[in-house]
Amino acid sequence: MGFFLFMLLILVLHAEAWPDLGQSKQSAQKCVRCCSPTGPPAAVPAPSSRMSNYPSWVMPRLQPTIDITILKGEKGESGEKGQSGVSGKEGIPGQRGYRGRKGQKGQIGLPGNSCKHVYEAFSVGRKKVLHSNDYFQDVTFDTEFVNLYKHFNMFTGRFSCYVAGVYFFNLNVHTWNFKETYLHLMRNDQEAAILYTQPSDRSIMQSQSLMLDLEEGDEVWVRMFKRERENAIYSEESDIYITFNGHLIKPADD
């Protein structure tokens, strides 16, 4: 009997410590109608004082993410090139840049042609007088001043061209009193220039010069031409009055 009273006391104390426990259980078991087909909705019971102590829980907002790469299509074909635009105005010149470094030494070049100089020259004279006997008469020379490579033939009185190019020639004679002086400076068989002096009571020195563009194998010489008058040139054994000179100015291959 004492044990039964002790257990009843414990149940009473337990009910006083949690007075809302019975109400919550009853509230949870009671069905509340929130709306009525003929009247306004019924009032929703207020939350218990125990539930009001906890903060309200907010549902998170969902934001969908779309992967753009799966929506990208294939690369299209290139379009036609458009027209060039109008050129802009010329800008202001910039400042001068820094001086660059010295470059490396280049490779040795190919050997060049050797600087070979070609010379051609002659200078001859005549000590004996000469009278024209035939219609045409070659003038020969008996004194050799300069004759490089012996290209001037002293026996025939002709210079033979072995190096093609431009040459300078000069002829000097002394006329004879009261006699005509008529000479041709010849290139092969053609007259290139004439040296002429009319008869006079005084003898004079007469000269003729010219340049000729010769080819290999050409010949240059002096010829006396006789007309109605006597033709002659003067000289002496002790002095030389008749000279013939020539030299190469520029080779054709230079």
Side-chain angles (χ1 to χ4, degrees):
M1 185 67 179
F3 177 77
F4 178 78
L5 293 175
F6 177 74
M7 292 298 296
L8 181 61
L9 180 61
I10 292 175
L11 292 173
V12 171
L13 293 176
H14 181 73
E16 290 180 355
W18 291 280
D20 297 333
L21 181 59
Q23 297 178 2
S24 299
K25 186 175 181 181
Q26 295 177 359
S27 300
Q29 294 177 358
K30 185 178 181 180
C31 179
V32 179
R33 186 180 182 87
C34 61
C35 59
S36 175
T38 58
V44 179
S48 62
S49 59
R50 180 183 167 186
M51 296 182 63
S52 61
N53 294 331
Y54 295 94
S56 59
W57 182 77
V58 180
M59 180 176 290
R61 184 178 181 183
L62 299 179
Q63 294 183 351
T65 303
I66 302 175
D67 190 359
I68 303 299
T69 58
I70 65 176
L71 302 179
K72 185 178 180 180
E74 297 181 356
K75 185 177 180 181
E77 297 180 357
S78 301
E80 297 182 358
K81 185 177 180 180
Q83 298 180 355
S84 301
V86 181
S87 301
K89 296 182 180 180
E90 184 177 358
I92 301 174
Q95 297 181 356
R96 186 174 182 179
Y98 296 102
R99 185 175 181 179
R101 296 181 180 179
K102 185 178 180 180
Q104 298 180 356
K105 186 176 181 180
Q107 298 180 355
I108 300 175
L110 299 175
N113 297 327
S114 59
C115 299
K116 184 179 180 181
H117 297 283
V118 181
Y119 301 97
E120 286 284 352
F122 72 90
S123 179
V124 294
R126 182 182 175 93
K127 295 181 179 180
K128 297 178 181 180
V129 299
L130 183 62
H131 293 269
S132 59
N133 298 322
D134 299 329
Y135 188 70
F136 291 120
Q137 184 176 350
D138 294 355
V139 178
T140 58
F141 300 88
D142 50 28
T143 303
E144 184 180 86
F145 299 110
V146 175
N147 190 6
L148 292 181
Y149 315 115
K150 302 299 180 181
H151 290 171
F152 186 89
N153 191 326
M154 296 295 294
F155 180 76
T156 60
R158 299 191 178 196
F159 168 74
S160 298
C161 177
Y162 287 86
V163 179
V166 178
Y167 287 77
F168 174 81
F169 296 97
N170 171 257
L171 175 64
N172 300 288
V173 298
H174 191 284
T175 64
W176 203 307
N177 295 353
F178 304 105
K179 293 184 180 182
E180 187 178 49
T181 301
Y182 203 134
L183 300 172
H184 288 155
L185 193 59
M186 304 289 295
R187 176 183 179 179
N188 299 326
D189 295 332
Q190 299 294 326
E191 299 89 350
I194 295 175
L195 188 153
Y196 176 76
T197 302
Q198 292 181 344
S200 174
D201 56 350
R202 297 174 58 186
S203 61
I204 60 173
M205 289 293 300
Q206 192 76 344
S207 178
Q208 179 64 282
S209 302
L210 79 162
M211 288 189 295
L212 294 175
D213 189 2
L214 302 182
E215 297 180 358
E216 186 177 353
D218 286 347
E219 290 184 335
V220 179
W221 49 290
V222 180
R223 182 179 71 180
M224 181 177 285
F225 176 54
K226 180 182 179 180
R227 300 196 300 177
E228 293 80 6
R229 301 174 183 178
E230 187 178 1
N231 188 4
I233 50 178
Y234 177 81
S235 189
E236 294 180 358
E237 290 290 338
S238 58
D239 298 319
I240 298 177
Y241 292 91
I242 305 169
T243 60
F244 183 34
N245 314 285
H247 67 273
L248 174 65
I249 297 177
K250 181 181 180 301
D253 296 337
D254 191 359

